[in-house]
Amino acid sequence: MAKHHVTTTINGDSVEFLCETGQTLLDVLRDELHLTGSKEGCASGDCGACSVMLDGRLVCACLVLGVEAADKSVETIEGMAKGDELHPLQRQFLEQAALQCGVCTPGFLVAAKALLERNPDPTETEVRYWLAGNLCRCTGYDKIVRAVLDTAAEIRGS
Ligand code: FES
Ligand code: FES
């Protein structure tokens, strides 16, 4: 079957790729574009490891088709740091050891960034609810939540 030719924007760059009709955005990112930061934990929308932004909406890339990215804007974990400068969330995750194996980490970071962009002063409960779709088998979540709250305070300058 002929592949689809898709033009999209990824992390601010215009990108073209070919994909099968049923190929997920996650598979396109990882297998065609070699952006392997987004992880596949479950491939069924349950773990959040594949979280990306699609036209400003937080989505599971394993539940989106590659063709659906046509003429849209995709933001992945690869676009989070600016050159050598980590995003404050990335730095706080490192400083607070809010990761162990790291499989869940890109998804948590993308989701947490989306939260802080719409709510710069979340409560702990709001952070936990927002991140409820992101599963972590290692950390017990407390360090992740603390890192997000401290990043929010850092960005607010308090
Ligand atoms: S890999 Fe997409 S939600 Fe788990
Ligand atoms: S750090 Fe291993 S799954 Fe979260």
Side-chain angles (χ1 to χ4, degrees), residues 100-102 104 136-139:
Q100 290 180 33
C101 79
C104 70
C136 176
R137 297 289 188 193
C138 307
T139 64

Side-chain angles (χ1 to χ4, degrees), residues 26 39-50 60 62:
L26 179 61
K39 303 302 185 213
E40 182 177 282
C42 65
S44 56
D46 294 312
C47 76
C50 63
C60 294
C62 71

Side-chain angles (χ1 to χ4, degrees), residues 26 29-30 34-40 49-51 76-78 102-103 105-107:
L26 179 61
L29 289 171
R30 291 182 55 83
H34 310 297
L35 294 170
T36 56
S38 303
K39 303 302 185 213
E40 182 177 282
C50 63
S51 298
T76 72
I77 187 64
E78 284 85 356
V103 169
T105 310

Side-chain angles (χ1 to χ4, degrees), residues 2-144:
K3 290 191 172 185
H4 300 274
H5 177 225
V6 175
T7 302
T8 187
T9 301
I10 299 182
N11 299 325
D13 295 327
S14 182
V15 172
E16 297 178 44
F17 59 81
L18 296 174
C19 69
E20 309 280 356
T21 303
Q23 203 169 2
T24 67
L25 176 59
L26 179 61
D27 285 343
V28 168
L29 289 171
R30 291 182 55 83
D31 300 339
E32 310 295 337
L33 302 176
H34 310 297
L35 294 170
T36 56
S38 303
K39 303 302 185 213
E40 182 177 282
C42 65
S44 56
D46 294 312
C47 76
C50 63
S51 298
V52 300
M53 302 299 289
L54 184 65
D55 269 1
R57 281 184 55 213
L58 182 63
V59 298
C60 294
C62 71
L63 296 183
V64 175
L65 294 174
V67 291
E68 293 182 90
D71 304 318
K72 295 200 170 84
S73 174
V74 181
E75 293 171 53
T76 72
I77 187 64
E78 284 85 356
M80 202 158 169
K82 297 301 172 216
D84 291 340
E85 188 180 342
L86 294 178
H87 187 280
L89 276 165
Q90 293 173 302
R91 187 167 33 71
Q92 288 279 358
F93 268 57
L94 280 174
E95 289 175 1
Q96 306 210 25
L99 64 147
Q100 290 180 33
C101 79
V103 169
C104 70
T105 310
F108 269 104
L109 289 167
V110 169
K113 181 168 178 277
L115 168 64
L116 298 188
E117 284 172 354
R118 70 176 59 196
N119 180 1
D121 191 11
T123 65
E124 177 176 338
T125 300
E126 287 171 331
V127 172
R128 289 185 185 274
Y129 267 98
W130 183 268
L131 297 178
N134 293 81
L135 303 184
C136 176
R137 297 289 188 193
C138 307
T139 64
Y141 298 99
D142 284 346
K143 290 181 177 179
I144 291 171

